[in-house]
Structure formats: structure tokens, C-alpha cells
Amino acid sequence: MSTEANTRTFTHLLVTGGAGFIGSNFVHRTLATRPEVKIHVLDALTYAANPDNLKTEEGIPLEEAYPGRFTFTKGDIVNSAVVDDVVGELAREASGGDGRTSGAAIVHCAAESHNDNSLVDPGVFARTNVEGTVNLAAAAVRHNVFLHHISTDEVFGDLALDDPQRFTTATPYRPSSPYSASKASADHFIRAFIRSKGLRATVSNCSNNYGPRQHPEKFIPRQITALIEGKKPRLYGQGLNVRDWIHVDDHNDAVWTILEKGTEGETYLIGADGERSNIQVVRDLLRIFGQQPNAFLHVTDRPGHDRRYAIDPISIRSLGWEPVYWSFDAGLRETVAWYQNNQQWWKEARVASEEKYSQTEREL
Ligand code: NAD
Ligand code: TYD
């Protein structure tokens, strides 16, 4: 990978999927810390979004809290006409009439993002994650807009629990679920557009995120919300599978580092040396909630369950980024406090996702 220093400046961003977990945290953090940046969000508001994600903690819509700096379109990235309109408008706004679009970028977060859902309905993963990404890449080329593609370490498949290796930018793709296969395909399309169609882009593959506003279908919020409701955490199988946890703010800061300093056409792996087995995470949560270490249930394992993900973060560290959340325990405590203080945010979504889980999941 080239270590040549680049600097780009962006004043106009289109954030796809900005009403979801990572996208909304990116939007809030950017509006709060970068007064020169205007953001437009394109989001279909699927089950995974929460309209409250586009309000401040005090419940003020972002349009009102940041006048002139935040706008929103409800729309589907699978609809190429919608995508072309929104990307075209971004390019016009950023050009200021002189035809230059160097200040405009797409931060592409929109996706179907949950492995368990992809086992039940893979088709929507192919449509949103592959077709939607192709539409965005094509519109970015047409309007000469830079694109940063947010992807996952799951494209590499899994590692054995005792493998001394971690994922690097040279690791071959070996996805194992329909979700990771669709993300792998999207990554390949982005690289093909870079090579053959003049797309100006960067790609990042990040490890598992945690933090505020993550849907309660996902592992950490599912266990936190269960514990708040006085129920037991639910571990798939024996809970020995390992994930490499990173706080969502650290991920989003790394994305900004790539936008500004990353080499065009390059891929960066984002991780914070946060490997933990699922059972360790459940025990961390039980400790935070003042409960016994074995107060959890073993439930049906996920078919094809990836054993371990682990990122070698050298590519992103070479750009000068480093995590702020070195302590997983501190980040987890903050996240627990957020779910305790925002119960109206997750109650309805939890009922719906628990209903879905109850169709397939049994206590072991
Ligand atoms: P999420 O499910 O919380 O949010 C996805 C957002 O995309 C939602 O707001 C949803 O409404 C929107 N969306 C879905 N389909 C759409 C469509 N067809 N058109 C427009 N909008 C649509 O997901 P997330 O956890 O925030 O993940 C964001 C991105 O980061 C995804 O690309 C995911 O693969 C990647 N990623 C996630 C993690 C993680 O741990 N959550 C880790 C690495 C990478
Ligand atoms: P998840 O949050 O779905 O992320 P991913 O599949 O992308 O890694 O799951 C994280 C880990 O937690 C994964 O090994 C599956 C496991 N898991 C449980 O043990 N119990 C649960 O209730 C859920 C949702 C996941």
C-alpha cells in the first residue's frame, strides 16, 4: 500500500443509510464537530432505521438543529433514478456553479446488515447490497463524485480460534453467509468501477461495531435490552465464537481519516484490537448489571456460524488514526447507559426482533 500523503477536503456529503446505526452516528458526529460540512441523507427507512436517529438527543429534528446543513430524502438505493437525482443534486450543490465537484463525497452505509436475516431472505441482501451499490457507483462516475464504500471484515470468512493470523488487505475473500457474500460482491463491484470506469473511491472493511443506536436484533444491544427487561442473555451455541469489537465513533473517525488522507483506489481494514469471545462479552455485561457470571441461556447456534474475526489494523494505523476507546469495558458501560436512558427508542424494535427470533431459536 502506498504511504504517499493525500489531503482531500469535503464540504458536501451524501450519507446513504444515515438513519441506521453507523450512518446516524456518523451524521451526528460530523454535524457536531465539522461546521463546514453539509449532509444529505438518503435512506429507505427499512425496519433497521429509526426516524429518531435523525433527531438530536433532545428530540429536535436535525433539519432544525442544524439549519442549512442537514437534509433528508426517503428513498431506495435500488431505484437508480432516485440515486441519480440525489447524487446529481449533491454534485450541483458542491460545484457552486463552476463545475468542480471536488468537495462532494458519498459515504455509502446503506445495507441490509444482519446475518441472521440473510439466512431467511437472501434476495433483499442481493438487491440492496449489490444492486444498490452498483447504482451508487454508476451515479458517482456520472457526476464525478468521490465515494467511500463502507464494508465489513466478514467478506474474508472466518479464522480458526487458534490461528495466529489476523485479516489483512491481502487476505482472500471467502464469505460464508448470504450477508457477507453480498458485501463481498459489492466490494468487487466498487473495485471494478475504480479500475474500469474511473470511479474515484476508497473502501474500508471494519470489524464488529458497538455503541448507541444499534438495532436490538444485534448481539450486544439484544443482551443489554434483555438485561434491562430482567431477562437472560442468549448465547448462540457455546459462545466461543470471537468478534473483534470497535466503538462506532472510532469506526467513523477512521472513515473521516480515509476520506481526507486515504489513497484513492485503496482499501483500509479498520479494527481496534478488540477480540473477545461472545461468552466473555456476556459476562462483561452481567458484571455491569451486577449479576452472576452464569446467568445466561445457551440457544440454537447460527447455521454456518463464523468462528472468529480479527483485523490487523496496520493499513488504517498507517494514516495516523488510532482508537479513542481503548477500554472495551468503558465503551460498554457508556453503551449500557445509553440503552437505559433511551428505552422508548428500542422497545418496539425489540418486540419485533424477538418475535422473529422466536420462530427459529430454542433453548439448548
Ligand atoms: P443498519 O442495519 O443499522 O442500518 C442500515 C441503514 O440502511 C438503515 O437505516 C436502513 O433503513 C438503510 N437501508 C437499508 N436498505 C436500504 C435501501 N435499499 N435503500 C436505502 N437505504 C437502505 O446497519 P449498520 O450496522 O449501520 O451498517 C452500516 C454499514 O456498515 C453496512 O454497510 C454494514 O455492512 C457495514 N458494517 C457494519 C458493521 C457493524 O458491526 N454493524 C461492521 C462493519 C461494517
Ligand atoms: P451479530 O451482532 O449478529 O454480528 P455478526 O454476526 O455480524 O458478527 O452477532 C455477533 C456474535 O454474537 C455472533 O457470533 C453471533 C452471536 N450472537 C449470540 O450469541 N446471541 C445473539 O442473540 C445474537 C444476536 C448473536
Side-chain angles (χ1 to χ4, degrees), residues 19-22 43-44 46 76-77 109 111 113 128 151 179 183 207 209:
F21 166 48
I22 295 172
D43 196 302
T46 68
D76 190 335
I77 58 168
C109 300
S113 67
T128 289
S151 191
Y179 164 64
K183 293 297 292 186
S207 60
N209 286 218

Side-chain angles (χ1 to χ4, degrees), residues 12-14 85-95 104-106 145:
H12 292 71
L13 295 186
L14 169 63
D85 273 0
V86 172
V87 176
E89 185 53 33
L90 175 80
R92 271 187 296 282
E93 277 221 358
S95 74
I106 302 167
V145 169

